[in-house]
Amino acid sequence: VVSTQSTGDDAMFRFTGCDGEKFIAKYYNPALITRIVLKKILDVLVYLEKFSVPRPRQDVKGNRMNDIVRSGTPAGQVDSYLVIFNYIPGELLLNSKKLPAFWKKLGVLLANIQVAMSEIPAGDFVREHNWDGLRAHLTLRKVGQYFPAETIPNVQIDSVIEFSESVKSKLATFPAQFIHGDVNEFNIILSDKDEISIIDFNDLIISYKVIDLANCIGYMNMSQRGDLQVARHIYEGYSTITSLSEEELSLIYDLIVARFTLSVSNGTYQIQEEGANEYVVGCVRDNVAYLKWLSETGRKEFNSVVLGL
């Protein structure tokens, strides 16, 4: 074992095989991800094997996932699911400064993955959407109770309520498909040659492709300290592969606001319930700062610069 990492929904171990090939062993918590959902995630990753995404490996029996049952676990219960992936070398994107061509390349990759996922049938895959409540406290009308009112401008709370009442109904008129669900700077790996990989499909869901684009633009825009040109270049690359209607594009600003407001609510709740840790506190702080910047920039300027609306 070379290194380990643990989060709320999984634990990862990087190791080297006898022939020198590197792998990632990932243990999934069955309380947070069902067998059916995980199996579909692995099926999607196999379908996307021509792209730079994690590839689940088969064991000698042809299985891509295995049940882990510890001694003393009641019969019929599973402690975790084990999946072995290929190791993707490189560094997380985070706050890396890149030229416009790089951001366009990221937009192209996201669009190509979306086009491929649009061809995958849903089958028996059912999963609650993250805006409908990953936890009970994430109800949109109660978001303000988890942080001081002065922390987020009122326009953000209003926008989330508007999202609940209006944007969701507009989204429902668009075709749904599988999307990544969490394209952020922690889920993008860069090789030393600036080759891009998108990892961590744990939030895979049937939803609307504009949401993936909004997440990608929002997180990259935040990581680059509000540089709207970065967001514009991502969209330019994306639009060379697939297109969105003007009505879909007009929702991106509100989708970004809703995503980051919910992240602040979720993080603040976690701090209150479990105590502060450096990662969560840092995320809340960064998300609050970005929401304030979004409010000051405004929908009109954002749409004009980034999307040409």
Side-chain angles (χ1 to χ4, degrees), residues 178-304:
F178 282 108
I179 66 170
H180 180 281
D182 193 22
V183 184
N184 63 59
E185 68 273 29
F186 291 96
N187 289 334
I188 297 173
I189 291 180
L190 306 181
S191 73
D192 55 5
K193 297 180 181 179
D194 265 359
E195 295 173 342
I196 307 173
S197 302
I198 295 180
I199 63 171
D200 195 353
F201 281 67
N202 289 11
D203 290 319
L204 182 83
I205 195 168
I206 297 173
S207 189
Y208 311 98
K209 60 183 185 178
V210 66
I211 292 178
D212 256 358
L213 179 59
N215 288 345
C216 182
I217 285 176
Y219 283 111
M220 298 310 110
N221 189 218
M222 180 181 72
S223 75
Q224 299 301 306
R225 303 294 188 265
D227 185 348
L228 285 178
Q229 295 305 314
V230 166
R232 181 173 68 86
H233 294 315
I234 292 171
Y235 173 64
E236 286 175 347
Y238 180 93
S239 60
T240 64
I241 303 300
T242 188
S243 61
L244 294 171
S245 68
E246 187 168 322
E247 186 173 14
E248 287 174 292
L249 293 174
S250 70
L251 302 181
I252 286 180
Y253 180 87
D254 282 320
L255 288 169
I256 293 173
V257 167
R259 173 76 176 208
F260 281 84
T261 304
L262 289 174
S263 293
V264 170
S265 171
N266 188 26
T268 306
Y269 177 85
Q270 185 175 343
I271 291 169
Q272 291 176 349
E273 294 296 307
E274 303 171 11
N277 68 65
E278 184 178 351
Y279 173 76
V280 176
V281 170
C283 287
V284 170
R285 181 189 63 242
D286 291 345
N287 290 347
V288 166
Y290 182 57
L291 283 168
K292 289 183 176 180
W293 177 87
L294 277 173
S295 179
E296 293 165 359
T297 301
R299 181 187 288 102
K300 184 176 181 180
E301 181 180 352
F302 183 94
N303 287 348
S304 174

Side-chain angles (χ1 to χ4, degrees), residues 137 139 141-149 157 265 268-269 272:
H137 70 277
T139 52
R141 287 192 176 278
K142 294 182 179 179
V143 69
Q145 77 183 60
Y146 298 109
F147 47 85
I157 303 302
S265 171
T268 306
Y269 177 85
Q272 291 176 349

Side-chain angles (χ1 to χ4, degrees), residues 114-172:
Q114 283 191 348
V115 170
M117 288 199 293
S118 70
E119 301 169 351
I120 303 174
D124 55 359
F125 184 91
V126 177
R127 198 177 198 186
E128 184 182 47
H129 205 294
N130 55 9
W131 69 58
D132 288 329
L134 286 171
R135 299 175 184 171
H137 70 277
L138 284 182
T139 52
L140 295 172
R141 287 192 176 278
K142 294 182 179 179
V143 69
Q145 77 183 60
Y146 298 109
F147 47 85
E150 66 273 11
T151 304
I152 305 294
N154 286 335
V155 64
Q156 310 302 349
I157 303 302
D158 293 342
S159 188
V160 173
I161 294 174
E162 178 187 347
F163 174 80
S164 177
E165 297 174 346
S166 174
V167 176
K168 281 173 61 177
S169 63
K170 293 178 182 177
L171 285 170

Side-chain angles (χ1 to χ4, degrees), residues 48-92:
L48 297 176
E49 63 181 356
K50 69 178 181 179
F51 301 104
S52 188
V53 300
R55 296 193 308 275
R57 307 299 291 263
Q58 291 181 323
D59 64 16
V60 293
K61 296 181 179 180
N63 299 317
R64 293 192 178 92
M65 57 184 288
N66 286 278
D67 295 348
I68 303 299
V69 181
R70 297 187 180 92
S71 176
T73 299
Q77 293 187 19
V78 175
D79 291 291
S80 60
Y81 304 121
L82 170 64
V83 180
I84 305 296
F85 294 96
N86 65 305
Y87 171 67
I88 300 177
E91 302 292 334
L92 294 178

